Amino acid sequence: MYSGIDSGLVLVREGDAVLGRFKLVGDPPNTAAGLASAASADQILASKTALLGNLPFFETEPIAPVALKGISQPVDAYLVEARSGITRRFEASQRRGLTPFIGRTAAIDALGHALDRARRGQLSTARVVGDAGIGKTRTVEEFLRTARSAGSLVLSGYCEHQGSIAPLWPFHQILRQALGLTTDPSSADTQTLEERLDRLGLGEQAPELLGFLNVQPSGHLAEAAVSGGPAAIDAIAKLPSKPAEDAPVILLTAAWPWSDDPSRAPPAALPPAPQ
């Protein structure tokens, strides 16, 4: 494979038997084709334009500007080697350095009151809403930083709009964090996962939760194994009401506008959320 990537304005018109169903008109297809020609076997070359704003999400190596046929100026490009460990734009901002956090006192106090209710044994929910770019993520992260330092267990699931994401992905993330999984669940020891679920007070839901992760339960639980689904989501939603070494448990689902339809089905365990 020889891969080249560029982005920009492209016009599409009807193609023919030689060009294919559609013909793309504009510089990006030519630039991408030129980068593919300049790439070595199994290399991915991406223009600086294509990676603008997305560099933190990939492991890259800058290369010398590439002179391409039909392009007046050499193209600045990168060799894309792998995905980085960064999955969210907030993490990318953290790597670059955050500005001082000021204001948002009312929102932080409201979240703090919800956490206080949890410390008293009450299941409580809160919803942070607002227009894009006004600082919702930063506000929540500042609250979670304080909550973690006070002993709370934070389990986070993030909805993503880039690439092909599995249904119910935020709940997969939450469950993996609760079980301490950093690799493919199928490679984990099943008995260890069942013991962790017992400690979280979710031993009875082990068949549903392990099935949700495509892990076959062991022993007598194998007969009750299911593929997950609504029962697993209801069990995950009950995590805040279960003991976790006497620490309050915070479930966070972020970037909810990007959630898939199955994730939007309301679990029966959650009470109505105040704004």
Side-chain angles (χ1 to χ4, degrees), residues 3 5 29 31 53 65 77 83 145-146 151 166 179 182 192 194 202-203 233 262 265:
S3 302
I5 302 173
T31 301
R83 291 193 65 168
R145 180 178 59 81
T146 303
L179 294 175
T182 57
T192 300
E194 292 170 353
L202 295 174
I233 303 305

Side-chain angles (χ1 to χ4, degrees), residues 25 27 32 59 64 77 82 116 146 162 171 178 184 189-190 201 207 209 227 271:
V25 180
D27 286 338
E59 298 294 340
D116 288 340
T146 303
Q162 295 177 338
F171 299 101
D184 184 357
D189 179 70
T190 302
L209 293 171
S227 61

Side-chain angles (χ1 to χ4, degrees), residues 2-10 24-37 44-52 54 66 68 70-71 73-78 80:
Y2 304 83
S3 302
I5 302 173
D6 190 36
S7 65
L9 179 63
V10 175
L24 304 180
V25 180
D27 286 338
N30 298 329
T31 301
L35 290 173
S37 298
I44 302 173
L45 297 185
S47 69
K48 182 178 181 181
T49 302
L51 287 173
L52 185 64
N54 292 304
V66 182
L68 301 178
I71 306 296
Q73 297 292 329
V75 175
D76 293 327
Y78 292 83
V80 182

Side-chain angles (χ1 to χ4, degrees), residues 8-15 19 22-30:
L9 179 63
V10 175
L11 301 179
V12 181
R13 68 185 185 190
E14 189 174 354
L19 297 172
F22 298 106
K23 180 180 180 180
L24 304 180
V25 180
D27 286 338
N30 298 329

Side-chain angles (χ1 to χ4, degrees), residues 77-136:
Y78 292 83
L79 171 63
V80 182
E81 298 175 328
R83 291 193 65 168
S84 69
I86 291 177
T87 58
R88 298 187 297 137
R89 295 198 178 277
F90 183 76
E91 295 173 14
S93 298
Q94 283 181 306
R95 175 177 288 190
R96 292 192 297 267
L98 299 173
T99 58
F101 181 75
I102 58 174
R104 301 291 191 236
T105 303
I108 294 289
D109 287 347
L111 293 170
H113 292 325
L115 181 57
D116 288 340
R117 291 194 295 272
R119 289 195 178 100
R120 295 195 297 269
Q122 303 175 29
L123 181 64
S124 60
T125 62
R127 188 177 293 128
V128 180
V129 297
D131 294 333
I134 66 171
K136 300 185 298 296

Side-chain angles (χ1 to χ4, degrees), residues 85-260:
I86 291 177
T87 58
R88 298 187 297 137
R89 295 198 178 277
F90 183 76
E91 295 173 14
S93 298
Q94 283 181 306
R95 175 177 288 190
R96 292 192 297 267
L98 299 173
T99 58
F101 181 75
I102 58 174
R104 301 291 191 236
T105 303
I108 294 289
D109 287 347
L111 293 170
H113 292 325
L115 181 57
D116 288 340
R117 291 194 295 272
R119 289 195 178 100
R120 295 195 297 269
Q122 303 175 29
L123 181 64
S124 60
T125 62
R127 188 177 293 128
V128 180
V129 297
D131 294 333
I134 66 171
K136 300 185 298 296
T137 299
R138 179 69 186 277
T139 298
V140 171
E141 291 293 339
E142 290 293 331
F143 162 73
L144 293 180
R145 180 178 59 81
T146 303
R148 287 190 184 96
S149 65
S152 296
L153 172 64
V154 179
L155 305 173
S156 306
Y158 296 90
C159 305
E160 302 180 39
H161 69 285
Q162 295 177 338
S164 177
I165 304 301
L168 302 170
W169 181 240
F171 299 101
H172 275 274
Q173 293 174 302
I174 288 171
L175 184 55
R176 290 186 185 200
Q177 289 175 30
L179 294 175
L181 290 171
T182 57
T183 58
D184 184 357
S186 63
S187 64
D189 179 70
T190 302
Q191 186 173 351
T192 300
L193 297 181
E194 292 170 353
E195 291 172 354
R196 290 175 181 171
L197 288 172
D198 277 332
R199 289 198 297 270
L200 290 168
L202 295 174
E204 294 182 0
Q205 288 80 30
E208 292 88 351
L209 293 171
L210 294 179
F212 187 55
L213 296 176
N214 291 324
V215 174
Q216 179 70 19
S218 64
H220 68 283
L221 293 177
E223 298 179 0
V226 295
S227 61
I233 303 305
D234 283 346
I236 293 170
K238 292 174 184 175
L239 272 169
S241 64
K242 301 293 183 179
E245 300 178 353
D246 298 324
V249 181
I250 300 174
L251 295 188
L252 169 68
T253 53
W256 197 245
W258 300 112
S259 61
D260 57 283

